[in-house]
Amino acid sequence: MTKANLRIAENRAFLHFRNEVIPALIGSGGISLDKREGDHATPVGELPLRRILYRADRTERPVSGAGLPIEPIAPSDGWCDDADASDYNRPVTLPHPASCEKMWREDHAYDLCIVMGWNDLKPESGRGSAIFLHLPTVTGFTEGCIALQERDLRRLLAQGLTSIIVEAP
């Protein structure tokens, strides 16, 4: 298990991995001990990396030193964020009758996107969905995910990163 710790210092997020301190982006709602759907907060706790998704039309296949499953994203891929839907916090095929996030985005945030374990083994309605480790957005915040520059994210994946521990401020 190769873990990194996400800490807040001077109102900025940093990922501590081995002897490195790497700038990160988190949700505009900060860090939360009580994650709720739509609060734009990054949840406190250990977030295991489940699988790696990538846009094969835009970027090279990543390498996982931890042996995580790696899959290309398709235009029909979505992630259900409707707390009342039976598919809540699950990957779905678009179009889908419930509210879903499109994985095939116009921006580059999900060109490399790692599904993280949050409220996913037995999803509890409203506890938060679609917590990913992905590339930065133009806003400088995420909707509750963690974002790293592509070169840093690729390096950590290649070095076997298996989870991120988000520490309470």
Side-chain angles (χ1 to χ4, degrees), residues 44-153:
V44 167
E46 185 166 349
L47 307 176
L49 280 60
R50 302 278 195 222
R51 63 188 169 126
I52 302 169
L53 307 173
Y54 73 104
R55 285 274 306 255
D57 63 318
R58 290 185 175 171
T59 191
E60 294 180 22
R61 179 182 174 91
V63 172
S64 171
L68 295 172
I70 303 170
E71 305 165 27
I73 295 172
S76 61
D77 287 339
W79 201 275
C80 184
D81 58 10
D82 184 337
D84 295 324
S86 60
D87 290 326
Y88 180 59
N89 202 22
R90 297 273 184 244
V92 296
T93 301
L94 301 175
H96 191 272
S99 171
C100 297
E101 184 167 356
K102 288 178 63 173
M103 300 302 292
W104 190 271
R105 293 171 56 137
E106 293 297 317
D107 68 9
H108 293 274
Y110 291 177
D111 285 5
L112 182 55
C113 178
I114 295 79
V115 177
M116 300 180 78
W118 173 259
N119 193 33
D120 64 327
L121 298 179
K122 253 183 105 173
E124 183 182 327
S125 180
R127 287 278 297 145
S129 65
I131 303 297
F132 302 130
L133 176 58
H134 61 73
L135 303 179
T137 61
V138 295
T139 64
F141 290 101
T142 71
E143 293 185 11
C145 300
I146 300 168
L148 298 175
Q149 292 295 326
E150 185 170 0
R151 67 184 173 279
D152 294 325
L153 183 49

